[in-house]
Amino acid sequence: MFPDVEGKGDGKVLERRRFEKSFVEVERILDQNRVLINEINQNQESRMPDNLGRNVGLIRELNNNITKVVHLYSLLSSYCCSNPNSNSR
């Protein structure tokens, strides 16, 4: 997506690294969200007051993670849109 075959344009290399780092971070957060959702579901099914109370914090964490993913997707989109040759790998 952002290769620089001749080694020119260090900015593109940095941009690619930022893109890759953001993409890895999105994957990490989405994996964490899967774990949170499973725990929330288990707590809900148990119907135990302590577990249901714990869900409040878990849902807040999930919501914060979703906000982070939206921000990271916005960055990823800007990386792609700012590079007119982004379709060629």
Side-chain angles (χ1 to χ4, degrees):
M1 183 180 277
F2 304 101
D4 187 4
V5 177
E6 297 178 13
K8 298 176 185 173
D10 290 335
K12 293 213 184 263
V13 172
L14 277 174
E15 188 173 316
R16 180 181 175 94
R17 286 185 185 144
R18 278 188 233 135
F19 177 86
E20 290 170 350
K21 183 179 177 185
S22 295
F23 193 79
V24 168
E25 182 68 7
V26 165
E27 288 182 322
R28 185 192 66 76
I29 294 170
L30 291 176
D31 287 341
Q32 183 182 11
N33 283 357
R34 279 186 207 93
V35 171
L36 287 170
I37 289 167
N38 285 335
E39 186 174 349
I40 290 166
N41 286 336
Q42 289 172 358
N43 289 345
Q44 187 68 27
E45 289 172 4
S46 78
R47 304 249 186 236
M48 294 176 62
D50 288 344
N51 290 347
L52 294 173
R54 179 165 162 63
N55 274 358
V56 173
L58 295 173
I59 292 168
R60 281 192 185 119
E61 185 176 350
L62 182 65
N63 189 44
N64 289 336
N65 285 351
I66 291 169
T67 300
K68 290 176 191 174
V69 168
V70 168
H71 174 72
L72 289 167
Y73 275 148
S74 175
L75 288 175
L76 289 169
S77 176
S78 70
Y79 293 147
C80 293
C81 293
S82 67
N83 185 354
N85 298 322
S86 62
N87 291 332
S88 61
R89 276 194 172 197

